[in-house]
Amino acid sequence: MSATPRVVIIGAGIVGANLADELTARGWTRVTVVDQGPLPLTGGSTSHAPGLVYQTNPSKAMTQFATYTVEKFKSLDVDGAWCFNQVGGLEVATTPERFAELHRRQGWATSWGVPGEVVGPERCVELHPLLDRERILGGFHTPTDGLAKAARAVQALIRRATACGAVFRGSTRITEVLQQGGRVTGVRTDADEEIPADIVVSCAGFWGPAVGDLVGMKVPLLPLAHQYVRTGQVAELVGRNDDAIEARLPILRHQDNDLYYREHNDRLGIGSYAHRPMPVRLSDLPEGDVTEAAMPSMLPFTEEDFAPSWEQSKTLLPALGAAKIETGFNGIFSFTPDGGPLVGESPDVAGFWIAEAVWVTHSAGVARAVAQVLVDGRSEIALHGCDVHRFDEIETTDAYVRETSQQNFVEVYDVVHPLQPKLSPREIRVSPFHARQKELGAFFLEAHAWERPHWYEANARLVKELPSEWQAPSRDAWSAMFHSPIAAVEAWKTRTAVALYDMTSLKRLEVSGPGSVEFLHRLTTGKMDKSVGSVTYTLALDEGGGTRSDLTVARLSEDVFQVGANGNLDFDHFQREAPADGSVSVRDITGGTCCVGVWGPLARDLVQPLTGEDFSHEALKYFRLTRAHIAGIPVVAMRLSYVGELGWEIYTSAEYGQKLWDVLWEAGRPLGAVAAGRAAFNSLRLEKGYRSWGVDMTTEHNPYEAGLGFAVNKKKTGYIGYDAIAGLNDESVTRRLTCLTVDDGRSIVLGNEPVFVDGEAAGYVTSAAFGHTIGRPIAYAWLPAPLPPGTPVEIQYFNRKVRATVATEPLVDPEMTRIRR
């Protein structure tokens, strides 16, 4: 048996200790964990973490991480002392908006398999007698949540990993990551000692950016201080607990005032996110001996920042009226631009990995996922929402990280709509059409710093012209947020006339060089050696057959391909897989190019008069491309349609973008053309059954489960993931992405809601929209297979069940005649 790789883990907090435990449990015994602080209390965030573990999260992955953390920590102890106290969790509402949000949270819990129920005020007080019954409208109770004793869990994990061969070294600072030939070879300590390593993993928490600097890797993380206090003795808690148990009441969150609470025997701990953001510079942190009362991650308490929270606490919990604040500190935690963890390998130094911005709640789950990637090559939980390479370059700049991370601190307990955009920073990335879109009254949402029109106020005048069958019903207040009835106009015009869609923000890669065909063959499920001018819809899989991405690959010339991708993760993947011999070049060409989708039955009437090239169906068939000139502007026109109508994606360089828009716009006016946004786009693509990667399918799903078996070339072998899916087909799956239509014709769900079959929770909604063409709401959901068309189901929307029916897809134009004319 060959020796396992040598691994150095930087950071012996809750993440590093968990990772060492997960690796040694898988037989990797040559693991060394080093920390600049003393063991086991190293002075990082773990050392002072209050340990509240709430599992429910809108992200399935984050919930799965937390659920595993609960199960693992329940099994740990230190000489009989607990590492997890499953007291349950209780989130209370003092406003109607929050009470509605608790019903939504209960839906997420059901979708992801976490037990929980929304309860009334009386039950809340039964669970937590310190609450003022008159202040609360109800609560969300999750019995499997609880308290993690993080520092104690680290001790237990160190013991277990050490018994399996791991070595832990405290008071050891890493000053250099050694490398040779683009790979790590070890680390150097502050004692000038070299520790050899094949893999180095930084689990340094808020020190992560400094460790990343050792290999030139940008770690988009901001350390922020967060206030935590302990009260003096609370009379109502005296005699309830002892030092061994410490807490019996459920952990409590008062999110309307950005507060949380936990017992410390006969005292109460209170954490606050209600204060101003307090960013921390690593260079300002104190140095010196680490003790339980003094460590670098615990900054002096600023009493004035906590004063309003103390008053709010006494209002919610009247028993605190006779108590005083005994101790307090401002503890440092890690925040990121989107609030998610940071996991991944350096793009430049092979073998250097990070697992940062991971809180105690998700620590064991993230560590298990990283261990699975290192040992098995893939995680059973989809990691796209945690991968550090999910960010585009602009999102990793210091200014962007600083502003967005602080905003995430402010909003950590806010009720956030799934479409809610950032207020700032904005207008960072705009297409060449942006000025014209503003003139048309575009309502912009934001994604990866791109401004993306959702609808256009210029089309409001057409709402009164909508035929009755296209008029959508009124929406409830929640689903009406960030929505306009104008979307129905834009969908109508796309189906009956022609519309212009800005597709510029979609990631575009150029793959070129003599090895391009072989390279793309290895990375995708489709046939790549097609004629110049072909366009192929295909999939990129991981080694386990999971759907890494879906792609459109256009062959521009013998050795040049344009790849329509899903984001920076695809760019990172392609760059890593490119051969070292230089036979393939991979470039991100998104910023230097732009794209207009011209779609609708009158699309040819709009485009053909502007060009000397033949845009007829016979000359330019579906999934073919041509180089052309439109009003003298050089373009590449691809016969594709994500909305299910005749038309083209028309690409040109950014310098010609505004002129291209103007030419198309003027030519379209006599035809009744409109500019259309993503609200109509999303509705139309669901009517055609077109999937959205990262929402409808991820690496957790193989192509046949996702309904994408047609994108797997049956004659092709040798690509990544081939062996894993070779024996699969549409009939072999036990779950499937399923199309649903809502029976009442008006209830709009938005995604992540649980779906019930025969009264039992059986799956969850991925994408949803009102189908303007069919006149009823649509939802796609992961459900057991087979569920034949006509099967009744129910979708839980807040506190009510909405009836829906399994439908045959696609819902519009199953014969594909509209696209192919």
Side-chain angles (χ1 to χ4, degrees), residues 119-128 133-134 136-138:
V119 297
E122 290 78 11
R123 178 60 177 152
C124 290
V125 175
E126 288 177 15
L127 291 164
H128 203 297
R133 161 66 181 80
E134 301 306 315
I136 56 176
L137 302 178

Side-chain angles (χ1 to χ4, degrees), residues 61-78:
M62 296 297 278
T63 300
Q64 290 172 308
F65 293 150
T67 299
Y68 179 72
T69 299
V70 167
E71 293 306 311
K72 181 174 182 177
F73 284 13
K74 280 170 56 181
S75 70
L76 299 177
D77 70 87
V78 175

Side-chain angles (χ1 to χ4, degrees), residues 309-458:
S309 294
W310 178 237
E311 295 306 314
Q312 292 289 349
S313 296
K314 289 188 289 185
T315 300
L316 182 73
L317 307 171
L320 296 180
K324 297 183 182 301
I325 297 174
E326 191 169 82
T327 61
F329 63 93
N330 294 355
I332 305 176
F333 288 86
S334 302
F335 281 78
T336 62
D338 62 2
L342 304 174
V343 172
E345 186 181 19
S346 162
D348 303 311
V349 182
F352 181 85
W353 290 75
I354 67 168
E356 310 288 19
V358 181
W359 293 6
V360 171
T361 301
H362 310 106
S363 57
V366 170
R368 179 181 65 167
V370 173
Q372 288 175 340
V373 171
L374 294 177
V375 177
D376 305 322
R378 70 188 298 267
S379 163
E380 66 188 71
I381 295 174
L383 297 181
H384 61 282
C386 307
D387 194 312
V388 64
H389 304 295
R390 67 190 182 270
F391 299 112
D392 285 327
E393 182 179 6
I394 186 64
E395 298 172 278
T396 67
T397 62
D398 290 344
Y400 190 94
V401 172
R402 184 178 179 86
E403 180 173 354
T404 55
S405 297
Q406 289 185 70
Q407 189 59 33
N408 279 321
F409 177 91
V410 171
E411 295 176 353
V412 70
Y413 279 171
D414 285 3
V415 177
V416 178
H417 193 277
L419 293 177
Q420 186 168 315
K422 294 182 178 70
L423 296 178
S424 178
R426 293 295 296 269
E427 298 200 350
I428 296 176
R429 305 173 84 179
V430 299
S431 81
F433 323 134
H434 187 66
R436 299 295 185 254
Q437 292 166 344
K438 293 181 77 170
E439 291 169 3
L440 293 170
F443 179 84
F444 293 98
L445 296 183
E446 177 270 349
H448 290 286
W450 278 104
E451 298 294 330
R452 306 196 300 181
H454 214 54
W455 68 80
Y456 293 85
E457 288 295 331

Side-chain angles (χ1 to χ4, degrees), residues 160-221:
R160 196 158 75 177
T162 300
C164 292
V167 175
F168 285 77
R169 298 177 53 175
S171 303
T172 303
R173 186 187 301 271
I174 300 301
T175 59
E176 184 180 359
V177 175
L178 306 173
Q179 7 177 339
Q180 183 175 354
R183 291 200 59 89
V184 299
T185 59
V187 296
R188 189 185 308 278
T189 73
D190 53 358
D192 201 30
E193 175 191 6
E194 293 186 10
I195 305 174
D198 305 297
I199 297 170
V200 174
V201 187
S202 174
C203 302
F206 61 80
W207 279 288
V211 178
D213 286 344
L214 297 178
V215 297
M217 182 178 180
K218 195 73 174 178
V219 179
L221 173 161

Side-chain angles (χ1 to χ4, degrees), residues 77-132:
D77 70 87
V78 175
D79 302 327
W82 59 270
C83 292
F84 188 79
N85 185 355
Q86 201 161 40
V87 294
L90 180 63
E91 303 172 55
V92 295
T94 58
T95 64
E97 294 77 14
R98 180 67 61 181
F99 193 52
E101 171 75 355
L102 296 185
H103 283 287
R104 191 165 69 114
R105 292 182 63 77
Q106 192 274 332
W108 297 335
T110 303
S111 290
W112 317 140
V114 175
E117 63 174 339
V118 177
V119 297
E122 290 78 11
R123 178 60 177 152
C124 290
V125 175
E126 288 177 15
L127 291 164
H128 203 297
L130 271 60
L131 285 165
D132 182 352

